């Protein structure tokens, strides 16, 4: 009797009236939002405009979904075009089946189009979104849990995954939860890239290459544990060979790029710095206007108080005038007195 295991959901879709909410699609959508959110924060920190990552994602995400589906259909064509299969199922992306290799490759093409339209270097954009992509993969892997797919060998470990479905050749039982292993590995990759980027100021696509290399290293051993049908070459699954090849290319890129173009890009988005300086000028002008207004108010208050302070000099002038009149009236009397005595 198993004391502990990870249960699989009884179904992968919930219906809200006529609207089906599929767990696989929901995980992918949440992953995209997280990737765009984190990518935007990193892009702004590098000197880019807020919202640019989302604008380019409008191109990258659809291309990535198409690329991921194409890779899956091409490498597992027998699931859709063999005898007894319906080729229309190749378009049912919500039922699962996305190849990360095709998603990254064609997604990069979409990102390149979006970057080119805005005059942005693709490597700088890739560096900004790399950790977010890893987190998106970590979330997306839980879609396999909803679909009860892509699990590993049989096991009796406490964290084993219980498979209850018997469709498409599945055998109910307890298996290694490879979806969970890969999800946790992707979270570690995201943290690694963030740390390395801060520590070594990686630029010109090297942060993205580090993400690719680290993911491929984990994907190799996770792929080796899986038991679902796959094409084999020299005893290894096709995705194992793909992971090794892409890992090698990523490491070569990091070494060559570090020698040719060390450091980071000085400018990642043309005009973004001017926008910041313009905003700063507006703030300074507002502060100056506020100071001028305050000085004017102070001056007006002083002018209003001035007549009150000058009331005393006017009284003194009145006293002087009265004194002069008294002296003028006294002068004739003095002259008459002097004539009488003479």
């Amino acid at each position: 009797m198993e004391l502990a295991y990870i249960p699989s959901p009884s179904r992968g879709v919930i219906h809200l009236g006529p609207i089906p909410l599929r767990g696989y699609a929901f995980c992918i959508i949440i992953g995209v939002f997280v990737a765009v959110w984190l990518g935007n924060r990193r892009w702004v920190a590098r000197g880019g405009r807020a919202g640019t990552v989302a604008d380019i994602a409008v191109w990258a995400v659809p291309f990535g979904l198409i690329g991921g589906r194409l890779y899956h259909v091409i490498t597992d064509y027998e699931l859709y075009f063999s005898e007894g299969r319906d080729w229309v199922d190749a378009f049912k992306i919500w039922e699962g089946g996305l190849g990360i290799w095709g998603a990254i490759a064609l997604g990069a093409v979409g990102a390149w189009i979006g970057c080119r339209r805005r005059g942005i270097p693709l490597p700088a954009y890739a560096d900004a979104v790399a950790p977010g992509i890893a987190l998106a993969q970590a979330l997306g892997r839980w879609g396999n849990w909803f679909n009860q797919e892509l699990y590993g060998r049989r096991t009796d470990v406490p964290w084993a995954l219980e498979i209850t479905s018997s469709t498409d050749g599945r055998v109910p039982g307890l298996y290694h939860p490879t979806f969970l292993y890969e999800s946790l590995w992707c979270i570690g990759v995201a943290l690694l890239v963030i740390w390395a980027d801060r520590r070594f100021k990686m630029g010109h696509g090297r942060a993205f290459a580090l993400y690719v290399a680290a993911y491929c290293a984990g994907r190799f051993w996770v792929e080796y544990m899986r038991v679902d049908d796959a094409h084999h070459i020299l005893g290894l699954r096709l995705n194992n060979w793909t992971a090794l090849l892409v890992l090698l290319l990523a490491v070569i890129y990091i070494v060559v790029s570090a020698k040719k173009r060390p450091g980071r890009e000085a400018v990642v988005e043309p005009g973004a710095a001017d926008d910041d300086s313009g905003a700063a000028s507006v703030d300074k002008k507002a502060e100056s206007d506020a100071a001028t207004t305050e000085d004017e108010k102070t001056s007006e208050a002083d002018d209003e108080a001035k007549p009150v302070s000058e009331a005393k000099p006017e009284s003194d002038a009145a006293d002087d005038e009265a004194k002069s009149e008294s002296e003028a009236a006294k002068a004739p009397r003095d002259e008459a007195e002097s004539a009488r005595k003479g």
Side-chain angles (χ1 to χ4, degrees):
M1 178 179 181
E2 297 84 8
L3 298 179
Y5 57 85
I6 301 174
S8 290
S10 58
R11 54 182 177 174
V13 57
I14 298 176
H15 291 274
L16 293 180
I19 303 175
L21 296 180
R22 301 183 182 277
Y24 186 87
F26 186 73
C27 291
I28 292 177
I29 292 172
I30 295 298
V32 170
F33 275 104
V34 170
V36 172
W37 170 78
L38 181 57
N40 181 73
R41 288 176 60 90
R42 288 172 52 81
W43 183 252
V44 172
R46 289 197 173 202
R49 293 188 180 95
T52 296
V53 169
D55 292 342
I56 296 176
V58 172
W59 290 89
V61 172
F63 272 74
L65 291 175
I66 294 173
R69 189 61 175 177
L70 283 175
Y71 182 89
H72 169 72
V73 172
I74 291 173
T75 56
D76 292 308
Y77 62 88
E78 66 278 359
L79 298 177
Y80 307 99
F81 302 104
S82 60
E83 185 178 355
R85 298 284 184 170
D86 187 358
W87 64 270
V88 177
D89 293 340
F91 298 95
K92 297 179 180 179
I93 191 173
W94 56 86
E95 293 184 354
L98 290 175
I100 185 61
W101 317 111
I104 295 297
L106 210 56
V109 174
W112 175 79
I113 295 174
C115 288
R116 184 177 178 83
R117 289 167 60 89
R118 301 180 71 104
I120 293 172
L122 177 61
Y125 179 83
D127 285 340
V129 301
I133 294 177
L135 291 180
Q137 288 179 251
L139 292 168
R141 272 307 176 199
W142 284 86
N144 302 134
W145 176 64
F146 281 100
N147 287 352
Q148 297 195 38
E149 60 185 1
L150 306 186
Y151 44 86
R153 305 184 186 98
R154 284 184 175 273
T155 183
D156 58 356
V157 296
W159 56 88
L161 172 68
E162 182 190 32
I163 297 298
T164 59
S165 174
S166 58
T167 59
D168 295 331
R170 297 184 182 92
V171 178
L174 297 179
Y175 299 86
H176 275 287
T178 52
F179 83 92
L180 177 61
Y181 299 159
E182 187 170 338
S183 178
L184 295 175
W185 182 269
C186 288
I187 293 175
V189 170
L191 296 176
L192 171 66
V193 174
I194 292 174
W195 170 82
D197 194 24
R198 291 178 178 176
R199 175 66 176 81
F200 302 105
K201 305 298 182 183
M202 306 179 78
H204 302 285
R206 289 188 290 277
F208 182 82
L210 176 61
Y211 143 72
V212 172
Y215 170 74
C216 289
R219 178 61 183 268
F220 181 87
W221 66 267
V222 171
E223 187 74 24
Y224 190 75
M225 296 179 65
R226 283 168 47 174
V227 295
D228 53 300
D229 292 333
H231 297 285
H232 287 72
I233 301 176
L234 299 178
L236 288 178
R237 294 164 66 97
L238 175 60
N239 283 332
N240 283 118
W241 287 109
T242 304
L244 285 175
L245 176 61
V246 176
L247 169 62
L248 178 62
L249 293 176
V251 172
I252 292 174
Y253 179 86
I254 292 174
V255 175
V256 174
S257 175
K259 290 182 178 180
K260 288 188 174 183
R261 308 186 71 181
R264 281 182 176 175
E265 297 88 346
V267 178
V268 296
E269 185 169 3
D274 296 337
D275 293 346
D276 293 339
S277 61
S281 298
V282 171
D283 292 340
K284 289 182 178 179
K285 186 177 185 301
E287 293 176 359
S288 178
D289 293 343
T292 302
T293 304
E294 186 66 25
D295 291 342
E296 291 177 352
K297 291 181 179 179
T298 303
S299 178
E300 291 175 358
D302 292 342
D303 292 341
E304 292 176 358
K306 187 174 181 180
V308 176
S309 63
E310 291 180 349
K312 183 176 180 181
E314 290 178 358
S315 177
D316 294 342
D319 293 341
D320 292 341
E321 183 178 354
K323 185 177 180 181
S324 298
E325 292 177 356
S326 175
E327 291 178 352
K330 185 179 179 182
R333 291 198 300 270
D334 291 342
E335 291 178 358
E337 184 66 23
S338 177
R340 185 179 63 78
K341 289 181 179 182

